[in-house]
Amino acid sequence: MIKGKELFIKYGLKKTSIDEIVNACGIAKGSFYTFFNSKEELYYAIMKQEEAFKDAMIQEMINSDRNPQELLHDLFTKSFDMLESNPFLQRVIRKEEYELLIRKVPKEMLESHSESDNESGAELIAKWKSNRLLVDEEPDIIIGLLRAVVLISLHREEIGTERYDKVKTLLIKCVAEGLIQK
């Protein structure tokens, strides 16, 4: 995974071959296929590893007594900071890489990833709902909204790089304020 990550950062998903990965690792191609069915599955496994910070942040939010609006703002801000500072995740959020990944990774893996996101956020949502801190909406809708906010990073060019940061900041503010019960 370390060598694959290095190659994917340097060349991208499309231009990195399995031969380059196995040569960098000093293993046989058959050994690669013992663990992964394709380079896309390796890329996906690395992506999941790089996104692990999310679950730690959500656990921190569950255990925190801070204002939920501030916590949501921090979650979004830290997520964007991670996306924008991590070279591998920067590759993932390039539209062509992301589209190639979702086309090539088995649908069950993508669904499993989505379910995992839903489960990790469900506990937080349940806590905040029980304390009447969150708007009355289905948990999967709220999680979908949170995911959509972060996916705005895929559209930096369409939004315009000169105004992207201001749009992102306003979106974070509006969503964080809008989800919290007044």
Side-chain angles (χ1 to χ4, degrees), residues 75-138:
L75 174 68
F76 288 132
T77 302
K78 289 176 182 176
S79 295
F80 279 110
D81 288 347
M82 182 61 81
L83 282 172
E84 293 166 1
S85 67
N86 180 310
F88 182 82
L89 291 177
Q90 285 177 347
R91 277 266 183 204
V92 173
I93 63 173
R94 289 186 181 156
K95 201 168 192 172
E96 61 278 356
E97 295 252 337
Y98 183 76
E99 289 173 355
L100 180 61
L101 181 65
I102 61 173
R103 275 197 325 263
K104 297 277 185 155
V105 170
K107 190 175 183 176
E108 312 82 62
M109 289 179 88
L110 295 173
E111 289 170 356
S112 172
H113 183 67
S114 182
E115 287 173 21
S116 175
D117 280 353
N118 289 350
E119 289 171 9
S120 67
E123 186 180 352
L124 176 66
I125 291 169
K127 178 185 175 187
W128 285 358
K129 280 186 144 194
S130 72
N131 293 333
R132 303 211 182 278
L133 298 172
L134 206 57
V135 296
D136 187 28
E137 188 56 71
E138 294 298 316

Side-chain angles (χ1 to χ4, degrees), residues 37 43 111 135 142:
N37 291 322
Y43 190 95
E111 289 170 356
V135 296
I142 293 171

Side-chain angles (χ1 to χ4, degrees), residues 42-53:
L42 170 62
Y43 190 95
Y44 178 77
I46 296 166
M47 181 190 79
K48 282 180 57 175
Q49 184 178 43
E50 296 296 303
E51 288 184 339
F53 74 93

Side-chain angles (χ1 to χ4, degrees), residues 120-170:
S120 67
E123 186 180 352
L124 176 66
I125 291 169
K127 178 185 175 187
W128 285 358
K129 280 186 144 194
S130 72
N131 293 333
R132 303 211 182 278
L133 298 172
L134 206 57
V135 296
D136 187 28
E137 188 56 71
E138 294 298 316
D140 62 325
I141 301 299
I142 293 171
I143 291 166
L145 174 64
L146 301 178
R147 187 177 293 121
V149 170
V150 176
L151 288 175
I152 193 176
S153 57
L154 290 170
H155 302 283
R156 177 187 295 265
E157 290 178 22
E158 291 98 322
I159 292 168
T161 53
E162 67 285 345
R163 67 181 154 279
Y164 173 78
D165 286 332
K166 287 184 178 181
V167 169
K168 178 181 72 175
T169 300
L170 181 59

Side-chain angles (χ1 to χ4, degrees), residues 51-61:
E51 288 184 339
F53 74 93
K54 271 187 318 198
D55 293 331
M57 286 177 57
I58 289 172
Q59 279 305 309
E60 187 180 310
M61 292 170 73

